[in-house]
Amino acid sequence: MPKDAPPTKKIKKANPEISSAKTSNFLDDVAAERKKTATSVMEFKFNKKRVRVLSKTSEVPEWADGVIYWTFRDERIHDNWALLYAQKLAIKNKVSLHITFCRLTKFLDCSLRHYKHIFQGLEELENECKTLNIQFHFLIGSAAEILPDFVKKHKLGAVVVDFMPVREHMLWTQQLADSIGSEIPVVQVDAHNIVPCWVASDKLEYAARTIRNKINKNLPEFLTEFPPVIKHPFSGKLKTQPTNWNDADKTLQVDRSVLPVPGLKAGFKAGMNELDNFLKKRLSKYSTDRNNPVKDGLSNLSPWLHFGQISAQRCILEVSKFSKMYPESVLAYREETIVRRELSDNFCFYNPKYDSIEGAPNWAQVTLNDHRKDKRKFVYTREELEKSRTYDDLWNSAQIQLVKDGKMHGFLRMYWAKKILEWTDTPERALADAIYLNDKYSMDGRDPSGFVGCMWSICGVHDQGWREREIFGKIRFMNYDGCKRKFDINAFIARYGGMVHKYTKK
Ligand SMILES: Cc1cc2nc3c(=O)[nH]c(=O)nc-3n(C[C@H](O)[C@H](O)[C@H](O)COP(=O)(O)OP(=O)(O)OC[C@H]3O[C@@H](n4cnc5c(N)ncnc54)[C@H](O)[C@@H]3O)c2cc1C
């Protein structure tokens, strides 16, 4: 944030006593729904289409003393198909149940802000594991490197992994399966999408319109209530070693200058609290307010959804209860959270170049190339962009929001990324800068929806060609005046304090 920016308005703090009482009612109601569905996952017809066997064997060996769930993307106990599947395997084989989180030294542009959020959520998870007789293990290192020895040493007879279609996680998962998969099962469960990514479609989709029906026709089968995770009835030799959370960030090689967002609480309970707030306060006007950055009209759930601290399926189940009361808002929320979100996973899963111009549709690559040499009136360095030092006070305000709040309003995200295309010397640099800033500061960064958001804005992914113009070619254009017509930009600028900075010619 530039030093000359005025302070943003203070956020009114909720009365913690009132808000925790409200959340616990909501949490109790949700827990009651799960219990009504089944007493445990053993009495529940688990849909096997959620599961992919990555190993050669699918049999848990007789010598097994436990089953382990390696959590990467879905860091929660409740409403988690991967953990439920692990519990089912463990009970069926009468063995103990374990969860591990393998902390890397560095992951993409994850900064201290993100790791602190992860740790806070995991601490809550670890505490709940104690009451459920599930052993939690906080390990340091890449799962592909450290899990094979850990699993062998402790006679764990199956590894369940969740699903994240970014190349790093897909590679580690495959490496893990290659190294231990002839002895024990390594199975992947899509716990993030409602319709498992590989069921929704077996190919790269062009746009929302081509995947919408494929997803919708599968919803009756997959959009079900969850059974509860129960107190695990079997114990084994391997016991949890309590994690020293004060030391959890030691040896991390991340940007420590990006600090946690003040007031943003991590974990399942905080995420469910935000869902409860959304249902009670914002859902009614979601269809009309969500594209207005000066109204608090969004669900605001993506920091918890991204880290899997709450489940998108749970959000949809709860939001859908208001279908009769607020039909348009429920429809709009379902379109964003089901179709758009799951389309992003489809893109990254089936397109290995999901974060490069080469991954864009052909028409977009051609048009960007045709305009590669167009004269740019303004060219900004990454540092100028990062420090909100452009001539555009609205853009600077959006960038300040990103840095300060760890979030940028969804509408402004599009404008923000498109301006980066206009202000950098090549589309490649524009894409790299947008992904870098998004991943470094946004709580929900490093997500398939983030790669797709940047690719949509800068290189036409899931979009169509528009009237041709300078620099953009046929890529959809957005400008300051368009924003002025859409919302009160002065109110937004006043809130975040972006300045107009004099342009320095390069
Ligand atoms: C340049 C750019 C970068 C983006 N980066 C990210 C990112 O890093 N991580 C991320 O999760 N989303 C990203 N998005 C998509 C979208 O902006 C966010 O999902 C949304 O702003 C999150 O805020 P919210 O939870 O209040 O969502 P709401 O606007 O209330 O939407 C509800 C939910 O629907 C989903 N959703 C909404 N819009 C989209 C979309 N366009 N694509 C996919 N899913 C969507 C999200 O899961 C979201 O939580 C990006 C979009 C753009 C244009």
Side-chain angles (χ1 to χ4, degrees), residues 21-62:
K22 272 197 270 165
T23 315
S24 66
N25 288 345
F26 179 56
L27 288 179
D28 291 347
D29 292 349
V30 170
E33 295 280 340
R34 288 190 207 104
K35 281 193 187 141
K36 250 197 276 167
T37 303
T39 50
S40 81
V41 68
M42 301 314 281
E43 274 71 54
F44 181 83
K45 199 169 175 310
F46 195 98
N47 195 325
K48 292 259 175 65
K49 291 183 201 161
R50 292 191 194 280
V51 184
R52 297 198 306 164
V53 179
L54 305 177
S55 48
K56 291 201 180 96
T57 178
S58 55
E59 292 298 315
V60 176
E62 272 182 19

Side-chain angles (χ1 to χ4, degrees), residues 276-472:
D276 193 23
N277 283 336
F278 173 54
L279 298 172
K280 290 187 179 131
K281 297 181 189 156
R282 302 190 294 276
L283 176 61
S284 60
K285 292 196 179 143
Y286 186 75
S287 64
T288 50
D289 287 359
R290 74 182 196 285
N291 280 327
N292 189 331
V294 286
K295 294 202 173 161
D296 183 20
L298 294 176
S299 58
N300 291 337
L301 292 167
S302 68
W304 294 276
L305 287 176
H306 166 74
F307 293 107
Q309 294 176 344
I310 60 167
S311 138
Q313 182 155 344
R314 168 61 58 204
C315 298
I316 292 294
L317 289 170
E318 299 308 317
V319 163
S320 300
K321 289 178 184 162
F322 293 83
S323 295
K324 287 217 171 90
M325 227 186 273
Y326 317 124
E328 284 173 8
S329 288
V330 171
L331 265 183
Y333 183 77
R334 285 173 66 115
E335 169 70 14
E336 301 292 355
T337 308
I338 308 179
V339 179
R340 300 281 160 176
R341 204 177 53 92
E342 304 203 353
L343 175 64
S344 301
D345 265 29
N346 168 279
F347 184 74
C348 293
F349 189 48
Y350 291 114
N351 187 341
K353 295 184 174 161
Y354 57 78
D355 53 356
S356 119
I357 302 286
E358 291 165 40
N362 196 260
W363 68 264
Q365 292 191 46
V366 170
T367 199
L368 285 170
N369 260 327
D370 287 348
H371 291 270
R372 186 174 283 282
K373 299 240 161 74
D374 289 359
K375 192 167 165 23
R376 272 81 171 149
K377 205 166 153 201
F378 305 95
V379 176
Y380 289 108
T381 61
R382 182 178 279 189
E383 198 190 351
E384 283 172 311
L385 295 172
E386 190 160 5
K387 295 199 168 144
S388 310
R389 294 197 70 84
T390 76
Y391 70 86
D392 177 336
D393 49 2
L394 174 60
W395 192 95
N396 292 339
S397 299
Q399 172 66 21
I400 292 170
Q401 184 184 34
L402 176 68
V403 172
K404 211 171 177 313
D405 295 353
K407 155 147 199 168
M408 189 189 295
H409 188 280
F411 177 81
L412 280 171
R413 273 181 143 165
M414 301 186 272
Y415 175 71
W416 171 87
K418 284 180 180 292
K419 281 282 159 185
I420 299 180
L421 172 60
E422 194 178 320
W423 294 336
T424 40
D425 44 13
T426 64
E428 286 77 10
R429 224 204 90 201
L431 185 63
D433 284 357
I435 291 177
Y436 168 78
L437 295 172
N438 190 61
D439 286 3
K440 180 169 170 184
Y441 293 105
S442 191
M443 288 308 303
D444 62 12
R446 308 148 314 280
D447 190 281
S449 299
F451 297 122
V452 170
C454 294
M455 292 286 279
W456 178 90
S457 310
I458 294 170
C459 37
V461 164
H462 300 150
D463 204 1
Q464 61 183 54
W466 296 75
R467 185 171 71 80
E468 198 156 0
R469 59 176 73 234
E470 296 269 281
I471 306 170
F472 282 77

Side-chain angles (χ1 to χ4, degrees), residues 104-226:
L104 297 153
T105 313
K106 179 177 170 46
F107 178 63
L108 302 176
D109 283 309
C110 240
S111 44
L112 193 62
R113 163 180 291 183
H114 305 111
Y115 272 104
K116 289 281 185 194
H117 194 86
I118 293 174
F119 298 152
Q120 206 184 7
L122 288 177
E123 191 172 354
E124 182 188 300
L125 179 146
E126 181 186 48
N127 285 334
E128 193 154 6
C129 279
K130 287 179 201 151
T131 66
L132 291 168
N133 191 31
I134 300 173
Q135 312 302 312
F136 175 74
H137 312 281
F138 183 81
L139 304 178
I140 305 286
S142 153
E145 284 168 19
I146 58 174
L147 271 190
D149 284 346
F150 187 81
V151 157
K152 272 182 207 149
K153 183 170 167 201
H154 300 292
K155 292 193 169 9
L156 302 176
V159 182
V160 178
V161 303
D162 48 34
F163 170 70
M164 168 82 154
V166 295
R167 63 180 68 82
E168 293 78 6
H169 188 251
M170 291 199 277
L171 176 71
W172 298 326
T173 310
Q174 196 49 56
Q175 285 172 339
L176 186 65
D178 290 345
S179 85
I180 53 176
S182 39
E183 290 132 59
I184 62 166
V186 177
V187 293
Q188 182 162 53
V189 180
D190 186 349
H192 217 74
N193 293 294
I194 298 174
V195 180
C197 191
W198 44 82
V199 173
S201 172
D202 58 3
K203 62 175 184 60
L204 183 68
E205 295 292 339
Y206 290 108
R209 77 188 136 75
T210 68
I211 202 170
R212 189 174 292 110
N213 283 345
K214 294 182 183 177
I215 291 177
N216 284 341
K217 79 166 195 258
N218 277 297
L219 286 181
E221 185 179 342
F222 290 98
L223 182 53
T224 63
E225 185 46 78
F226 294 85

